[in-house]
Amino acid sequence: METAKIMDLRNKFTGAVQTSWSWAGVRSNPNDEEFRSLGPFLIAAVAAILVWALLAKKISKSRLPLPPGPRGVPLLGCLPYLEPDIHSWFARLAHEYGPIISLRLGQKLFVVVSSPSLAMELLKDKDTTFANRDVPPASMALLSAVHGMGWAPYGAQWRMLRRVCMGEMLSSSKLDISYDFRRSAVLEMVAELHGGAGAPINVGKVMFVVMYKVITGLLWGRSVSDEEKHQVGDEFQQVVEYLTGVFYKPDVSDFFPVLAPFDLGGVFRQTKKAGVRLEQILDYLINESQKRGNTERTRDFLQILLKIQESGDPKTPLSRSHIKSLLMDLVLAGNDTTWTTMEWAMTEVMKHPEVMKKAQEELDKVVGKNHPVEETHLAHLHYVNAFVKEVLRLHPVVPLMLPRTPSQSTTLGGFMVPKASRVLVNMWAIQRDPAAWESPEEFRPERFLTATGKREFTGNDFHYFPFGSGRRICPGMALAERMLMYVMATLLHSFDWKLPEGTELDVSEKFGIVLKKAKPLMAVPTPRLSDPEL
């Protein structure tokens, strides 16, 4: 019925235009054939515009609106108003416009969710629709963005890579077997700190090194000799540090994907250069591992991957590129997120000396002063566990989670979310929601010790999900939990900590995919155990 009305209106309009055009053409110049030949084209163009406008108006009335949000300026959208701490800026916008907002930043439409109920709808009820990542253009410079697990589109290849990761390396049973790597790295850290006791140390750098040793030990610790590890270790570590620094830089192509081929900020070139060198080092490690062979006694994750590649799966084969990408993903993502959380944890220790005292009292009771902390102690350290959970609540290391994009236009919270939009979950805001947390801005580990506060980060509680939720929940959650507990318990058990003389604690944030401290934490360790051998 509506179509018939529109067609009738178009026919009447066309007739009127033809009549007027004929009159105008004759009156102006009856011999001007070129002028007269333009008539049908102009008539068709005007009619098409009219019909399209009417149809668009009709469709727009029947379609759900976009989520509310601030109006921007032409071309730039809300970019002129963008604040450095985007996560807190989004939280303020949510207070003004509601728990789901939309805004244009340059060419991209952003949709931001800031409530537990909407997070559950997105990450649980419609998880399949939102299972794809919206990959930043600069990330495509890395092999892992094409063949890895982190940015891969949801599908058979992604499921294969995740199954391999979880089944062969990151499950609890596999982590139990690899305890010796973690223990060795932590004891080396304690020895280094003990040797420099009394002098300020850069906490973040110490945490980076211990996590680097743990992750690379798990990945290829038995595949190559100690000499080979030293040959590539220093350079590999330098490339990883450089790459993580470049990778998290803001880039104009994040907001104007059409400009990505021009690489105006140089981020793509810098990422590509470091990524190529990282690939070369990984190729060397793979070749050395293949030379040594694969035995049950020496199997690490690299050896397992090579064995899977050799056996082959015709449906979803594991290629050499997949192997390098998985190793790259685990080193870059697993290292950076975990050591950053450790630095935030030590920052809260410096800010709240009473927390250090309570944790040390529990450690002395459970572990004693004549033994080092072991992973077997962790289950009995309830206050330390609550302390770590509170760090993850107040300082979620990926505050907006990795961006998602719907595979098709869909609804969320009663609003339309178009295909290809960038969808973010403001975990930072949700975990500070005063409706769910008493005094949410305060650091209170005790909140996790009460009967009502025993929250777990399994991804099923949408008030507290620091490792994400749904199909793309962080695969390294079990390893991160163990390392956070183990390292923090060891640091507080082995040392007292204080700020260097004449310094003040800086708690400002530096926004990125990973939320880091704006300034590195410097702290002074003092040994507290009687036996230096410990």
Side-chain angles (χ1 to χ4, degrees):
M1 188 69 180
E2 293 294 330
T3 303
K5 289 182 179 179
I6 291 173
M7 294 298 294
D8 181 61
L9 182 62
R10 187 196 68 176
N11 293 335
K12 289 179 180 179
F13 178 81
T14 302
V17 171
Q18 285 176 331
T19 301
S20 60
W21 182 263
S22 299
W23 178 83
V26 170
R27 290 288 302 268
S28 61
N29 188 354
N31 297 319
D32 190 351
E33 291 300 326
E34 181 179 356
F35 178 76
R36 293 170 63 86
S37 67
L38 289 175
F41 293 102
L42 289 174
I43 292 170
V46 173
I49 291 171
L50 178 63
V51 173
W52 173 253
L54 290 170
L55 286 172
K57 185 176 181 181
K58 185 70 179 176
I59 292 171
S60 66
K61 286 183 178 179
S62 63
R63 191 170 61 183
L64 289 172
L66 292 173
R71 296 182 64 181
V73 299
L75 186 64
L76 297 178
C78 293
L79 273 179
Y81 317 121
L82 190 65
E83 297 182 8
D85 294 332
I86 300 178
H87 55 301
S88 57
W89 181 57
F90 282 158
R92 291 195 298 276
L93 290 177
H95 281 296
E96 182 177 353
Y97 293 99
I100 179 171
I101 63 172
S102 67
L103 68 164
R104 287 204 172 271
L105 294 175
Q107 187 185 356
K108 292 286 292 187
L109 176 67
F110 284 67
V111 175
V112 187
V113 165
S114 301
S115 76
S117 60
L118 287 170
M120 182 170 71
E121 182 181 350
L122 190 155
L123 300 171
K124 182 179 179 182
D125 302 339
K126 297 182 178 179
D127 188 24
T128 305
T129 303
F130 288 97
N132 286 331
R133 302 287 194 205
D134 189 25
V135 187
S139 302
M140 297 305 295
L142 292 177
L143 178 73
S144 58
V146 182
H147 297 284
M149 183 173 58
W151 296 110
Y154 177 66
Q157 174 184 301
W158 176 84
R159 286 192 293 270
M160 178 269 292
L161 294 173
R162 187 175 178 95
R163 184 171 61 250
V164 168
C165 249
M166 296 301 298
E168 301 296 345
M169 178 185 173
L170 297 174
S171 66
S172 292
S173 59
K174 296 296 182 181
L175 291 175
D176 287 340
I177 298 172
S178 60
Y179 173 48
D180 56 332
F181 288 121
R182 297 190 294 281
R183 188 175 192 273
S184 174
V186 169
L187 291 179
E188 287 179 18
M189 173 194 69
V190 172
E192 181 182 344
L193 291 175
H194 199 280
I201 59 109
N202 185 320
V203 173
K205 282 194 173 295
V206 172
M207 301 299 99
F208 175 92
V209 171
V210 72
M211 281 309 303
Y212 169 80
K213 289 179 179 178
V214 167
I215 292 177
T216 56
L218 292 172
L219 295 179
W220 56 75
R222 295 190 177 101
S223 289
V224 294
S225 67
D226 290 339
E227 181 182 352
E228 289 158 350
K229 288 177 194 173
H230 290 308
Q231 285 178 0
V232 301
D234 290 342
E235 184 183 5
F236 188 86
Q237 185 175 332
Q238 290 172 9
V239 173
V240 168
E241 286 189 82
Y242 173 80
L243 193 53
T244 52
V246 170
F247 186 61
Y248 297 127
K249 284 182 179 179
D251 187 37
V252 66
S253 60
D254 291 337
F255 306 112
F256 295 96
V258 70
L259 298 178
F262 303 102
D263 192 24
L264 299 179
V267 175
F268 187 93
R269 290 191 300 275
Q270 295 173 55
T271 304
K272 181 71 173 178
K273 182 179 179 180
V276 168
R277 184 56 191 139
L278 202 57
E279 278 190 64
Q280 293 171 345
I281 297 173
L282 291 172
D283 275 322
Y284 171 79
L285 293 170
I286 292 171
N287 293 337
E288 292 303 311
S289 180
Q290 289 174 325
K291 290 178 185 177
R292 288 170 67 90
N294 187 349
T295 67
E296 288 294 332
R297 190 180 63 81
T298 63
R299 286 180 71 178
D300 52 28
F301 190 53
L302 176 52
Q303 290 283 8
I304 292 169
L305 291 176
L306 292 173
K307 184 68 175 177
I308 294 173
Q309 182 190 31
E310 183 182 324
S311 59
D313 182 345
K315 293 183 179 179
T316 51
L318 185 70
S319 68
R320 189 182 182 94
S321 292
H322 287 139
I323 292 174
K324 289 190 291 185
S325 296
L326 275 177
L327 298 177
M328 197 181 294
D329 274 345
L330 292 166
V331 171
L332 294 176
N335 190 37
D336 209 38
T337 53
T338 310
W339 78 254
T340 299
T341 303
M342 291 174 180
E343 187 179 34
W344 278 117
M346 288 302 297
T347 300
E348 293 296 347
V349 167
M350 298 291 96
K351 189 177 179 181
H352 303 282
E354 71 279 5
V355 170
M356 177 167 60
K357 183 178 179 181
K358 290 179 181 179
Q360 288 175 337
E361 288 173 354
E362 181 180 63
L363 285 159
D364 291 346
K365 183 178 178 180
V366 173
V367 181
K369 289 191 174 184
N370 298 317
H371 305 280
V373 176
E374 304 285 357
E375 280 194 0
T376 52
H377 294 124
L378 302 184
H380 307 288
L381 297 173
H382 304 298
Y383 185 81
V384 175
N385 179 265
F387 161 66
V388 169
K389 284 182 176 179
E390 180 71 342
V391 172
L392 290 167
R393 182 193 72 82
L394 206 59
H395 304 285
V397 71
V398 186
L400 299 177
M401 302 180 59
L402 291 181
R404 302 196 179 207
T405 187
S407 55
Q408 59 187 20
S409 295
T410 186
T411 60
L412 191 63
F415 295 100
M416 176 59 62
V417 178
K419 181 180 179 180
S421 55
R422 177 170 291 185
V423 182
L424 302 170
V425 178
N426 196 341
M427 186 197 307
W428 183 89
I430 292 173
Q431 294 187 169
R432 294 174 181 234
D433 181 5
W437 304 92
E438 183 181 350
S439 303
E441 299 297 328
E442 295 182 13
F443 187 80
R444 291 185 183 178
E446 290 78 9
R447 73 174 81 243
F448 287 97
L449 295 175
T450 64
T452 57
K454 291 188 180 296
R455 299 182 184 273
E456 302 296 336
F457 33 68
T458 58
N460 296 316
D461 182 347
F462 290 94
H463 293 91
Y464 182 67
F465 50 114
F467 293 100
S469 180
R471 284 168 172 78
R472 304 203 80 141
I473 191 170
C474 174
M477 179 171 60
L479 174 60
E481 180 185 3
R482 290 191 190 211
M483 285 305 300
L484 287 170
M485 280 285 292
Y486 187 25
V487 170
M488 293 314 303
T490 299
L491 291 175
L492 298 178
H493 179 249
S494 301
F495 303 96
D496 288 314
W497 295 86
K498 65 178 182 179
L499 292 172
E501 291 293 335
T503 63
E504 294 183 0
L505 184 64
D506 184 282
V507 295
S508 55
E509 302 170 331
K510 179 182 178 182
F511 179 81
I513 292 180
V514 173
L515 189 63
K516 298 178 181 291
K517 283 186 87 280
K519 294 181 180 179
L521 174 64
M522 304 298 294
V524 180
T526 302
R528 64 185 298 269
L529 301 182
S530 55
D531 185 357
E533 290 297 321
L534 295 176

